[in-house]
Amino acid sequence: MQVATGDAVQKNAFAAFRNILKADGIPGLYRGFGTVITGAIPARIIFLTTLEKTKVASFELVKPFKLSEPVQAAIANGTAGLTASLFSQAVFVPIDVVSQKLMVQGYSGHANYNGGLDVARKIFGAQGIRGFYRGFGLSVMTYSPSSAVWWASYGSSQRIIWSLLGHGNESKSVPSSGQIVAVQAAGGIFSGAIASCITTPIDTIKTRLQVMPVNNQKRLRARQVVKRLIEEDGWKGFYRGLDQTLQQGKLFRQVNALIVSHLREHNLTQAAMAVASATMTPLSTEVPSNKLLQLVAKGLAAEKDEASRGVSSIASFNPTSSILASDGTLPAVDFSAVQDTRGASKIFPKHETRHISEHKNVARCARFSPDGKFLATGSADTSIKLFEVSKIKQMMVGDAKDGPVRPVIRTFYDHLQPINDLDFHPQNTILISGAKDNTIKFFDFSKTVARRAFRVIQDTHNVRSVCFHPSGEYLLAGTDHPIAHLYDVNTFKCYLSANVQDLNTNSAINQVRYSSTGGMYVTASKDGSVRVWDGVSGQCVRSIVSAHISAEATSAIFTKDQRYVLSCGKDSTIKLWEVGTGRLVRQYLGATHSQFRSQAVFNVTEEFILSIDELTNEVVIWDALTAEKVARWQSNHVGTPRWIEHSPAESTFVTCGTDRSVRFWKDLSLSG
C-alpha cells in the first residue's frame, strides 16, 4: 500500500492482500521472508542486549536529579529504546532494503529478481555499499524515535497508572497478578498508539525511497517524496495502512483474550498466566465458555469446505470483517428481530426509468455483474446484450458532449435457441449463458471484437438457470433434469448429487442460486418445491415440498446472511423461508404472477422486495420486514415484463419483457 501511486492505491489492506494472492498465490505473501529472518535474529539480539544495558545505566544517571518516578522511567526507557534501535538498524537496514525489493518485484514497474542474493548483487553493482543503506537516515528517524517513544510511554504510563491505583512508592500493598497484567496491557496499548501516530508518516517516506529502482538515474530525495505524496493523496497519504494496523491490533487482542480465557477455564492457570504476561492480556478477561473451541470448530469446517472446492482459506481472510457482512456489504436485515411491525413500513425511494435498448424478440432474462458495473440481457432471438451501467446513467442524464451515448458495448450471437439465464464470473471478465439448445457458453467481454463464445459446455438437457460459485471455479446449471448439474470450470467435469432417489422428484429446475459464501445453494422447481443443498457434498439439507402448493416455484435466492431464502411462485405469492427450520417467516401478497417465470428480488440493502404484477403491468414493492406493499409503479412496458433484476451494488434495477424492450430504473437521489 505504501509504494502504490495515487492511481493504483488499493482501497484497503484486504484489497492489496487479494490482488497479491491473485497474481502470485500464497508465495507472493512471503517474498523476502528468508532474507528478513536472516537479518532479524542478529538485529534482535543486538537490540535486546543494548536495551537492557542502557536502561540500567540510564536509571543510574537520572537518579541524582531527583525527578518523579514516571519522568525517570520515561527518560531511562526512552534513552534505552533509542540507543538499542540505533545499534540494531546498522544490521537491519541492509536486510530491509533487500526484502522490500523482493516484496514489490514485478509491481508498478519494479524489476524482477532471482532471490535475495541476486538483489544484493545488483544493488552492490549499481551503487556499492551505499545502496544497502538507502533510507538509513529515515530508518533511524522512524524506528529510533518510535522505539524511544514506545518505551518511554510504556514505562511512564505504567508508573502513572500504578500511582492512580494506590500502588506508588509509598504503598506497601502488593498488586494482584491480574492487576499487573491489566496495567501492562493498558501501557502497551497507549504506547503503541502514540508510536504509530508519530512514526507512520516517516515509515511511508522511507519505504518509498527504499523501493525505487536501482537503475533510477534521477534519485528522489526525501523532500521530493513528501511533495509527491501530498500531490497524490494529501496529508492522509502519510498514514496509509494505519487504520489496518489498528484493526489488526484489535484482532490480536481478541485472539489473546480467547486463549487466556480458554486456558484459565481448563485449570491451566500457570499457562494462562504465562500467556497473559507475554501478551499483556488481563488474566481475568471475561469470554463466553468454550468460545475458542466453537470458533476453531467453525474455522476447521470452513477450511475443509474450501479445501474440497480448491479455494484457499487464506484468500478469504479479512481482519476487518467483524464490522461487515460476509460479502463485504452492510449487515443483512434480521427478519427475526421484529415480530409485529404493522404500520412501521419504510418508504421506497422514487426512481426514474428509461428505455435503454431492445432485442428483436422477447427479452427473457437479465443479470448485473457482482460490482454492479455491467448489465447483461438475454433474448428469445438468441442474442445477448452487454451494457455498461455508467453509460446508461450518462444517457439518462442527457449531458453527453460527444453525441448520443450508446450503453450497449457488446452483442453476442452464438446460441441456436432462446437464452434462459445469465451470470458473471465473480472475478474475471467472463459472462456465461444457459439456453434451450442445451448449452452453457462462455464469453470474454474484455475483447471488443469477440462475438462468439470461447468455451462451451454441452449439457444433456435444456439449461434453464446458471450460477457461478463465489470462487469462480465451479458453476451450477438448473435444467429439465430434477438435480442441479455442478460443473468444474477448468475441466468441465459434471457432478450430480448422490441422493436423487430419496427426493422422490422428477421435476425440472426453474432457478438455481448459490449463497454468498458458496456453502449452500437453493433450487426452485416446477413441482412447486424449494430445496436447499450443501455446497460441498451436494446433499439436500432442507426440502420445502409444495412451497408454492402445486404451482411452479419460479425463483429462489438467499439473503446475504444465508439464514433465509426468498422464493416466488406461479401461485402469486412470494415467501420468505428460514433455512435452519424450513419455517415460513413472511409472505408477500398482492401481485399476480401465474404465467411467466417471475422473479422476486431484494433491493441492495434487503429492506425491500420487488416483483412484477402480470395483471396490472406494474412493479410492486414490499417492505421486507412488515410485508406491506409500499409502492406500485407502472412498468412502462407494452405488455408484461418477464424479468426483474436488482443491482447488488446500488439503488438501480432493470426490467425486460414481452415487448422486447429493456428498461433501467435509477434512484433519483443517485448522481449520474
Side-chain angles (χ1 to χ4, degrees), residues 230-276:
I230 295 173
E231 289 175 351
E232 289 177 1
D233 288 319
W235 292 102
K236 68 179 182 180
F238 293 101
Y239 286 92
R240 283 181 183 171
L242 179 60
D243 55 339
Q244 280 75 32
T245 300
L246 296 176
Q247 276 287 345
Q248 190 178 44
K250 180 180 178 181
L251 182 62
F252 285 152
R253 290 194 297 275
Q254 291 173 340
V255 172
N256 292 335
L258 286 168
I259 294 171
V260 170
S261 175
H262 174 78
L263 293 172
R264 189 189 68 229
E265 291 295 326
H266 289 77
N267 297 319
L268 300 171
T269 308
Q270 288 186 337
M273 291 175 63
V275 173

Side-chain angles (χ1 to χ4, degrees), residues 332-342 344-348 557-560 564-566 574-577 584-589 600-611 620-631:
V333 174
D334 184 2
F335 293 98
S336 64
V338 182
Q339 300 300 325
D340 186 8
T341 53
R342 287 282 169 181
S345 298
K346 297 179 180 179
I347 298 175
F348 191 69
I557 56 173
F558 284 96
T559 54
K560 294 175 185 177
Y564 304 95
V565 164
L566 183 72
I574 298 167
K575 298 179 179 181
L576 187 74
W577 307 91
L584 178 62
V585 179
R586 298 281 192 282
Q587 190 167 212
Y588 307 89
L589 305 173
V601 297
F602 286 106
N603 75 324
V604 67
T605 62
E606 293 190 343
E607 295 174 294
F608 299 96
I609 292 168
L610 294 77
S611 191
V620 184
I621 301 106
W622 293 264
D623 182 295
L625 274 177
T626 66
E628 291 183 328
K629 290 192 297 294
V630 294

